[in-house]
Amino acid sequence: MADANQKPEIFELNNGSMRALITNLGCTITSLSVPGKDGKLADVVLGFDSVDPYVKGVAPYFGSIVGRVANRIKDGKFTLNGTEYSLPVNKPPNSLHGGHRGYDKQIWEVAELKKGDNPSITFKYHSHDGEEGYPGNLSLTATYTLTSSTTMRLDMEAVPENKPTPVSLAQHTYWNLAGHNSGNILDHAIQIWANHITPVDENTIPTGEIKPVKGTPFDFTAEKRVGESIHEVGLGYDHNYVLDCGEEKEGLKHAARVRDPSSSRVLNLWSNAPGMQFYTANYVNGVVGKGGAVYGKHSGLCLETQGFPNAINTPNFPSIVVQPGERYSHTMLFEFSVE
């Protein structure tokens, strides 16, 4: 882990309308309370009451920032500038979310904590050359800010110091807008501004194809109930959507809109990343979370904006390689409302 003097703690951001609890272990959102139709607050993220289960690795990446490279890298191998790199195969036969001890399992330094109307917390982490098999030193920052009464922004940055390296961070929160303890998300409605997905092989690695969603169960270009066609896609959705048709504002594209009919809560997500993994918690099974809530299959949904999976081995995908001195920058805007 990081500096032995640092211990996992939970910090609060509160602007009077919404409240976020975030730990320096993996920059993990452990709780996010936002108002519903009756003005009543509910905690809309899956997680645990204390840091202990996160430390013990009970969570399937609940709420954390994953990296150095999010998602899967085929066979845990890639070649960059003629050098082959081998990564931990922690999700056989592939490397997933940065390896055995990715950024979600590291203690980040709290660089700044601001109170007030727009409270924020900034975390820093220094990833060393060879960490989990990746090349070069990398300096990272992640800042969560409550930018308005019901909006949270996440800014992730990374600068390679001495070697080119693949970088693709993702925020892996499991959302349930009805409340974390309310059961499954199959009645949530979702719209995803993506005309294409990157289909995958039997090991969940993209084939390299960019495939139109029109006429398939993967089509969420118009709002659709999550559960409507989920039985047609195997265990559930776990696919990278190509964010290619969302309107833009302030350099961010509209990625997705999720609506829970029971509470009238809506989440609009904006991002500057090229892709988004839409995942319906297919492998979550009997995890005991906050207040004793039991999280089962489809108990949350993930909207992980990202570089395309296995992009480092797929020449026709947007490159995720960052050169020394260049800056990787990934912003996500989570806008909550009631309608």
Side-chain angles (χ1 to χ4, degrees):
M1 267 207 174
D3 183 350
N5 301 323
Q6 293 182 295
K7 61 181 198 296
E9 293 178 71
I10 292 176
F11 302 87
E12 181 184 32
L13 300 181
N14 193 334
N15 63 5
S17 324
M18 67 190 294
R19 172 179 182 252
L21 298 179
I22 304 168
T23 168
N24 55 337
L25 178 64
C27 300
T28 300
I29 300 170
T30 65
S31 171
L32 185 67
S33 297
V34 296
K37 61 185 170 192
D38 44 12
K40 198 170 141 218
L41 287 179
D43 183 353
V44 297
V45 305
L46 274 52
F48 302 101
D49 288 314
S50 73
V51 293
D52 295 349
Y54 299 99
V55 173
K56 294 187 174 108
V58 175
Y61 305 100
F62 283 172
S64 59
I65 289 179
V66 295
R68 184 174 299 196
V69 173
N71 218 299
R72 291 166 180 83
I73 291 179
K74 185 179 181 179
D75 301 329
K77 287 189 165 49
F78 67 90
T79 299
L80 185 57
N81 297 345
T83 304
E84 182 172 277
Y85 296 92
S86 289
L87 312 171
V89 176
N90 60 317
K91 180 85 171 174
N94 306 309
S95 190
L96 177 70
H97 291 330
H100 292 305
R101 298 195 58 78
Y103 299 162
D104 62 297
K105 296 177 181 69
Q106 304 294 349
I107 295 189
W108 295 50
E109 175 198 342
V110 178
E112 190 171 41
L113 179 60
K114 287 184 183 165
K115 305 284 186 190
D117 291 344
N118 303 114
S120 67
I121 188 164
T122 298
F123 298 101
K124 286 189 175 178
Y125 180 67
H126 188 265
S127 178
H128 62 81
D129 185 16
E131 184 177 324
E132 295 297 299
Y134 287 95
N137 296 330
L138 189 67
S139 291
L140 300 120
T141 61
T143 301
Y144 292 95
T145 309
L146 303 188
T147 54
S148 77
S149 59
T150 52
T151 302
M152 180 176 71
R153 179 181 171 114
L154 168 60
D155 293 290
M156 296 174 272
E157 294 195 338
V159 178
E161 293 172 11
N162 51 355
K163 291 181 186 174
T165 180
V167 182
S168 178
L169 307 179
Q171 215 299 339
H172 209 303
T173 290
Y174 289 68
W175 302 98
N176 187 325
L177 297 183
H180 75 98
N181 55 354
S182 66
N184 69 52
I185 45 77
L186 297 178
D187 283 335
H188 281 42
I190 186 168
Q191 185 172 1
I192 302 173
W193 278 270
N195 287 318
H196 300 83
I197 57 163
T198 53
V200 292
D201 65 16
E202 67 281 4
N203 293 320
T204 334
I205 290 290
T207 60
E209 192 186 353
I210 308 267
K211 189 177 179 184
V213 295
K214 194 178 166 90
T216 76
F218 299 100
D219 189 353
F220 289 97
T221 51
E223 185 188 73
K224 188 171 82 176
R225 193 175 150 266
V226 171
E228 186 173 316
S229 319
I230 201 168
H231 56 282
E232 297 174 48
V233 293
L235 289 173
Y237 294 98
D238 191 5
H239 296 78
N240 174 58
Y241 280 73
V242 180
L243 300 174
D244 54 9
C245 58
E247 59 171 324
E248 282 203 32
K249 71 167 180 188
E250 294 167 23
L252 305 179
K253 285 179 300 200
H254 207 172
R257 176 183 182 274
V258 185
R259 181 175 61 86
D260 166 47
S262 70
S263 66
S264 301
R265 280 188 195 90
V266 172
L267 166 58
N268 277 286
L269 172 61
W270 301 73
S271 175
N272 63 347
M276 183 186 79
Q277 194 81 4
F278 175 46
Y279 173 53
T280 48
N282 311 326
Y283 301 107
V284 176
N285 181 9
V287 177
V288 180
K290 288 175 278 196
V294 179
Y295 305 137
K297 187 178 181 181
H298 307 322
S299 54
L301 57 84
C302 300
L303 306 167
E304 307 158 56
T305 58
Q306 61 180 4
F308 294 2
N310 197 39
I312 191 66
N313 291 312
T314 316
N316 61 307
F317 284 1
S319 174
I320 60 164
V321 175
V322 187
Q323 303 296 329
E326 283 183 1
R327 183 179 301 273
Y328 163 91
S329 181
H330 180 181
T331 294
M332 303 175 79
L333 195 66
F334 305 92
E335 293 180 333
F336 294 92
S337 56
V338 174
E339 55 188 72

